[in-house]
């Protein structure tokens, strides 16, 4: 069976899609953004990773199944150049408008191309209590049973400690950036703990190592969180404006949900109220709890 996965970005979304590989034991091709290729290459012998720029090389065979998780016109047009028997996910209809297959509707009903429109899609997303993996697996006819992320071997950096802080979540979601990391760092250090703010790295494999080399990661819904889940690093994750329910915790994650989540849910603008709603005391207690091996989530 030949399978093609089209999942370009964001990087965290690529990482959280890797559990699918556990269900396809024969050849899989995966097209992703160039920056993410290092996370997929060499994961296993029968996985071919192609960058978006190398996508024409994927036309060398007929696919039994194409899984397209990209809701863009460019990806939709690209699918028309391929030969395949079955499609799951987004595609172009006869009018060259983006739509999605019926079996993928549980996920894409929440998306930017939702048949219900953006406003209703966000309402449905807020009501959803299934993880991303459950939605994708079940659409493909599988049952998600806690299959783990697959991550490559990190590049050693030498940075290690008790707690890693992932302070930056990127420019797309500015309200993911909690305002109190500096205070949290001071309070943790006052307890004798070694705390590091994750630095920027040239390689994602170095970033992966930084996360793995700590006893606990504290951060928002961002790439370091997914790296923690992939390396089995306990984590405390803050959800200011995105869904905590889509994330499978693998028994190692404590989720702290903002009391203002509904107000700021899936908004990409900025209001400082969203970044201060979660208290330092709550995050401090959750972090100490994770360091002490408590399993509340």
């Amino acid at each position: 069976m030949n399978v093609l996965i089209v999942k370009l970005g964001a990087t965290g979304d690529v990482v959280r899609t890797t559990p699918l590989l556990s269900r396809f034991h024969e050849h899989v091709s995966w097209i992703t953004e160039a920056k993410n290729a290092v996370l997929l290459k060499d994961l296993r012998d029968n996985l071919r990773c192609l960058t978006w720029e190398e996508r024409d090389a994927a036309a060398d065979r007929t696919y039994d199944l194409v899984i397209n998780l990209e809701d863009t016109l460019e990806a939709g047009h690209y699918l028309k150049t391929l030969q395949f028997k079955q499609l799951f996910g987004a595609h172009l209809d006869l009018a060259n408008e983006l739509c999605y297959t019926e079996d993928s509707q549980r996920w894409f009903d929440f998306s930017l191309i939702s048949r219900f429109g953006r406003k209703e899609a966000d309402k449905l997303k807020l009501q959803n209590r299934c993880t991303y993996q459950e939605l994708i697996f079940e659409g493909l006819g599988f049952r998600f049973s806690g299959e783990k992320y697959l991550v490559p071997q990190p590049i050693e950096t030498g940075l290690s400690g008790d707690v890693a802080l992932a302070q930056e979540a990127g420019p797309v979601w500015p309200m993911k950036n909690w305002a109190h990391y500096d205070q949290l760092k001071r309070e943790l250090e006052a307890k004798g703990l070694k705390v590091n703010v994750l630095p920027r790295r040239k390689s994602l494999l170095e970033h992966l190592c930084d996360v793995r080399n700590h006893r606990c990661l504290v951060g928002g819904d961002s790439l370091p969180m997914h790296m923690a889940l992939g390396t089995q690093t306990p984590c405390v994750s803050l959800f200011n404006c995105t869904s905590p329910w889509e994330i499978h915790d693998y028994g190692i994650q404590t989720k702290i949900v903002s009391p203002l989540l509904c107000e700021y849910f899936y908004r990409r603008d900025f209001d400082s109220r969203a970044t201060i709603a979660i208290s330092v005391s709550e995050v401090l207690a959750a972090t100490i709890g994770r360091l002490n091996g408590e399993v509340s989530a």
Side-chain angles (χ1 to χ4, degrees):
M1 183 178 186
N2 278 314
V3 176
L4 173 65
I5 298 173
V6 182
K7 183 58 193 165
L8 306 181
T11 305
D13 291 342
V14 171
V15 175
R16 72 172 179 173
T17 304
T18 58
L20 266 183
L21 294 173
S22 65
R23 292 307 181 103
F24 300 110
H25 303 293
E26 298 176 319
H27 185 272
V28 176
S29 296
W30 189 318
I31 298 174
T32 192
E33 289 182 6
K35 67 178 182 179
N36 299 328
V38 69
L39 296 175
L40 296 175
K41 288 181 177 178
D42 302 322
L43 277 185
R44 69 182 204 189
D45 291 338
N46 54 355
L47 173 64
R48 175 176 64 164
C49 174
L50 299 170
T51 67
W52 180 247
E53 291 73 22
E54 298 168 335
R55 62 189 179 276
D56 289 346
D60 64 343
R61 66 196 68 193
T62 297
Y63 294 95
D64 298 288
L65 173 64
V66 171
I67 302 170
N68 179 33
L69 299 172
E70 293 298 321
D71 53 4
T72 65
L73 285 169
E74 191 173 20
H77 284 294
Y78 171 65
L79 291 185
K80 290 191 171 185
T81 70
L82 300 174
Q83 298 294 321
F84 54 85
K85 299 175 183 178
Q86 181 183 352
L87 173 67
F88 174 94
H91 64 98
L92 297 179
D93 62 18
L94 294 177
N96 279 332
E97 298 289 336
L98 279 168
C99 59
Y100 43 93
T101 58
E102 184 177 353
D103 54 4
S104 69
Q105 66 184 13
R106 290 196 65 200
W107 173 247
F108 282 98
D109 278 352
F110 306 148
S111 74
L112 293 174
I113 62 170
S114 172
R115 55 185 170 156
F116 301 109
R118 174 67 183 276
K119 186 175 181 179
E120 187 62 28
D122 285 348
K123 288 182 180 178
L124 292 172
K125 201 173 186 73
L126 182 59
Q127 296 167 3
N128 170 57
R129 294 297 181 270
C130 293
T131 67
Y132 169 78
Q133 290 88 352
E134 287 172 329
L135 295 168
I136 299 299
F137 272 58
E138 289 175 13
L140 288 164
F142 304 130
R143 180 179 178 84
F144 178 64
S145 301
E147 287 80 1
K148 294 181 179 179
Y149 292 10
L150 298 181
V151 293
Q153 185 66 31
I155 294 176
E156 186 58 56
T157 63
L159 182 72
S160 63
D162 296 304
V163 179
L165 301 181
Q167 295 187 177
E168 297 182 14
V172 176
W173 302 95
M175 288 191 290
K176 285 185 179 182
N177 296 310
W178 188 52
H180 301 308
Y181 284 109
D182 289 345
Q183 183 179 346
L184 176 68
K185 185 173 186 291
R186 290 192 297 270
E187 297 204 22
L188 289 169
E189 288 175 336
K191 295 180 179 294
L193 297 168
K194 184 176 181 180
V195 183
N196 292 309
V197 176
L198 291 178
R200 294 189 178 185
R201 297 291 192 185
K202 293 181 179 179
S203 169
L204 288 172
L205 297 184
E206 293 177 312
H207 196 39
L208 185 65
C209 185
D210 287 342
V211 172
R212 184 200 62 180
N213 284 353
H214 289 79
R215 295 171 56 208
C216 181
L217 172 85
V218 180
D221 176 12
S222 59
L223 175 59
M225 177 193 75
H226 289 291
M227 287 183 165
L229 294 172
T231 57
Q232 291 294 291
T233 301
C235 54
V236 175
S237 304
L238 286 58
F239 293 85
N240 293 334
C241 59
T242 55
S243 172
W245 304 287
E246 282 182 14
I247 307 302
H248 185 72
D249 63 31
Y250 290 97
I252 59 170
Q253 180 186 48
T254 299
K255 299 176 184 178
I256 301 181
V257 181
S258 168
L260 302 181
L261 179 68
C262 293
E263 182 176 347
Y264 294 106
F265 194 72
Y266 269 75
R267 283 174 49 180
R268 302 192 185 197
D269 59 337
F270 181 76
D271 184 333
S272 61
R273 289 179 65 241
T275 68
I276 63 175
I278 294 174
S279 70
V280 175
S281 60
E282 186 175 7
V283 180
L284 178 64
T287 305
I288 297 301
R290 275 295 164 192
L291 290 171
N292 289 338
E294 297 175 9
V295 296
S296 60

